Amino acid sequence: MIRDVLRMGDPRLLQPSEPVARFGTRELETLLQDMRDTMAAHNGAGLAAPQIGVPLRVVIFGVEFNPRYPDAEPVPYTELVNPMLTPVGDEQEDGWEGCLSVPGLRGVVPRHTRLRYVGFDPEGNRIERDANGFHARVVQHECDHLDGILYPMRMTDMRRFGYTQVLFPDAAGEED
Ligand code: NI
């Protein structure tokens, strides 16, 4: 079921989320189905459970070709529960981000270039991956939602924050 996405200003987006205690449950599967439906409906690159008002440490992400990110490299579709992120090295890089909870806007955010993430799939099987570039950026953005952090809170240069249609007038088909 497509759920409403909370928008910046809603205090629920600023709350830390709780770990999932039990895997393989009907409740968790229903949550993930709603997250898949909601992300697909908005052409999102990722979605975190608190964005639909569920304060649990669950994120989904993945990019094949995404009209919101036409130049982005592909990211494997992943459902990640109780994630833990560890930066690899000190390197950071700037990149443009958007968020379904901050519709119509884009901003440049510094992120760790490389990281290792571990967590579990919805059945409780362990996931462990190294990621870099856009993949690493998406994971950091989504997992920030689990700690109540929205990307504008990570920005260091507010001059590179603005409306998508103004910044990128040639990007057709943007819905937010
Ligand atoms: Ni977001």
Side-chain angles (χ1 to χ4, degrees):
M1 183 173 70
I2 298 170
R3 304 271 294 264
D4 288 340
V5 178
L6 306 185
R7 289 179 299 161
M8 185 168 64
D10 190 308
R12 289 173 287 180
L13 289 170
L14 303 176
Q15 298 287 329
S17 291
E18 294 290 324
V20 170
R22 295 176 61 219
F23 294 93
T25 63
R26 187 180 302 258
E27 290 78 6
L28 188 54
E29 180 48 42
T30 299
L31 170 61
L32 281 156
Q33 187 62 56
D34 287 354
M35 290 175 67
R36 286 179 215 120
D37 292 346
T38 303
M39 185 172 92
H42 294 282
N43 286 320
L47 189 73
Q51 291 182 275
I52 59 168
V54 177
L56 290 173
R57 302 187 80 81
V58 179
V59 300
I60 66 174
F61 53 85
V63 179
E64 291 182 25
F65 172 77
N66 187 322
R68 283 169 59 94
Y69 301 95
D71 301 321
E73 60 235 57
V75 177
Y77 177 72
T78 304
E79 299 177 344
L80 190 61
V81 179
N82 297 349
M84 294 244 315
L85 275 50
T86 307
V88 176
D90 296 329
E91 189 183 338
Q92 299 208 354
E93 63 189 16
D94 288 339
W96 287 97
E97 297 188 15
C99 180
L100 297 177
S101 294
V102 191
L105 296 163
R106 292 285 188 280
V108 168
V109 185
R111 298 285 188 186
H112 297 289
T113 303
R114 298 174 192 285
L115 59 85
R116 170 163 296 178
Y117 62 93
V118 299
F120 300 90
D121 74 11
E123 300 301 317
N125 302 300
R126 184 179 166 89
I127 295 171
E128 180 168 354
R129 280 194 197 133
D130 291 315
N132 61 64
F134 187 65
H135 184 176
R137 176 171 299 277
V138 169
V139 175
Q140 289 169 89
H141 176 116
E142 296 311 325
C143 291
D144 263 355
H145 280 294
L146 306 181
D147 295 323
I149 297 168
L150 300 169
Y151 81 81
M153 298 157 66
R154 294 283 194 195
M155 291 184 61
T156 56
D157 183 356
M158 296 306 285
R159 293 174 300 184
R160 291 192 289 175
F161 187 41
Y163 291 96
T164 310
Q165 290 177 344
V166 178
L167 288 162
F168 306 109
D170 297 333
E174 296 277 354
E175 66 176 70
D176 53 40

